[in-house]
Amino acid sequence: MKLQRLQAMPDWPIRMTADVASLFMCVSESTFLARYGALAFKEGANTFWARATLEREVAKQASLPQLAPAGASEDSSWDDLD
């Protein structure tokens, strides 16, 4: 049932439960939890993984260049033009 819902979506969800996130990462759910369980966040009783966080993990593993997270450093070079 969940796979049918995923196939109907235009892209992967922004936040995913372990079963969906393990499909995203192409590993079994137990392997996913062992490798990426610490990257989860809680919302009430639910546990989710953010797609962006998992994508950054893959980029690190593949040594791909990464953009700084939003708000990490602000460009102040234009401040004198106010």
Side-chain angles (χ1 to χ4, degrees), residues 18-72:
D19 56 339
V20 175
S22 65
L23 291 171
F24 179 76
M25 298 297 280
C26 300
V27 295
S28 70
E29 191 170 340
S30 60
T31 299
F32 174 80
L33 291 171
R35 291 182 187 171
Y36 306 105
L39 300 176
F41 64 94
K42 292 272 193 187
E43 183 179 286
N46 299 313
T47 304
F48 295 104
W49 284 262
R51 183 179 75 193
T53 302
L54 297 174
E55 288 173 340
R56 279 193 301 274
E57 278 300 303
V58 171
K60 281 188 229 174
Q61 291 171 349
S63 299
L64 298 173
Q66 299 179 61
L67 296 174

